[in-house]
């Protein structure tokens, strides 16, 4: 086996501040299902995939593994057997990557809004 230099296709931007939180009313999440074959994205009330809810790999804006198309068989609306979540505020964290490196790079950064919501640390 021969080792080669790592070639990064692009250099990521370093953020100086936390990104803004986006609020989406009446969002719909389509979880992984055998029928769809891949996990889905988060959709807004107009049934458009929310771009920030998918993982992007490489140049461009194509999702790396999620489906962003609304199911054609649901054109008239959600089926009656699809459960509706209680009226609450939710934080969408995307897919949970369990591989250590993918978790650090893809999953963990989605938890950043919790930094602002945490209570102050107890003083000793």
């Amino acid at each position: 086996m021969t080792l080669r230099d790592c070639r990064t296709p692009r250099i990521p931007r370093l953020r100086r501040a936390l990104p803004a939180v986006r609020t989406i009313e009446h969002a719909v999440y389509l979880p992984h299902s055998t029928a769809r074959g891949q996990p889905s994205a988060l959709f807004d009330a107009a049934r458009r995939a929310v771009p920030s809810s998918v993982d992007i790999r490489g140049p461009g804006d194509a999702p790396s593994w999620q489906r962003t198309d609304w199911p054609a068989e649901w054109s008239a609306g959600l089926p009656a057997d699809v459960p509706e979540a209680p009226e609450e505020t939710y934080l969408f964290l995307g897919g949970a990557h369990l591989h250590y490196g993918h978790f650090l790079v893809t999953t963990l950064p989605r938890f950043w809004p919790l930094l602002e919501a945490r209570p102050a640390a107890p003083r000793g």
Side-chain angles (χ1 to χ4, degrees), residues 13-106:
R13 288 183 300 129
L14 295 179
R15 294 187 184 268
R16 301 288 178 215
L18 295 176
V21 173
R22 181 174 174 197
T23 300
I24 300 170
E25 299 286 337
H26 309 291
V28 176
Y29 174 65
L30 302 180
H32 177 76
S33 70
T34 305
R36 290 193 41 90
Q38 289 174 267
S40 295
L42 190 66
F43 293 84
D44 63 17
R47 301 182 185 139
R48 293 180 303 240
V50 177
S52 58
S53 72
V54 298
D55 298 328
I56 306 297
R57 183 185 323 161
D61 58 359
S64 63
W65 57 278
Q66 294 108 321
R67 288 187 67 165
T68 57
D69 58 313
W70 185 261
E73 61 273 16
W74 292 1
S75 60
L78 292 173
D81 63 340
V82 172
E84 188 168 318
E87 188 68 31
E88 297 285 340
T89 300
Y90 296 91
L91 175 61
F92 180 72
L93 298 174
H97 297 277
L98 302 180
H99 179 276
Y100 181 74
H102 289 281
F103 179 81
L104 289 178
V105 173
T106 308

Side-chain angles (χ1 to χ4, degrees), residues 1-23:
M1 179 170 95
T2 304
L3 297 178
R4 300 179 307 181
D5 288 338
C6 177
R7 293 190 177 103
T8 304
R10 61 183 170 156
I11 297 174
R13 288 183 300 129
L14 295 179
R15 294 187 184 268
R16 301 288 178 215
L18 295 176
V21 173
R22 181 174 174 197
T23 300

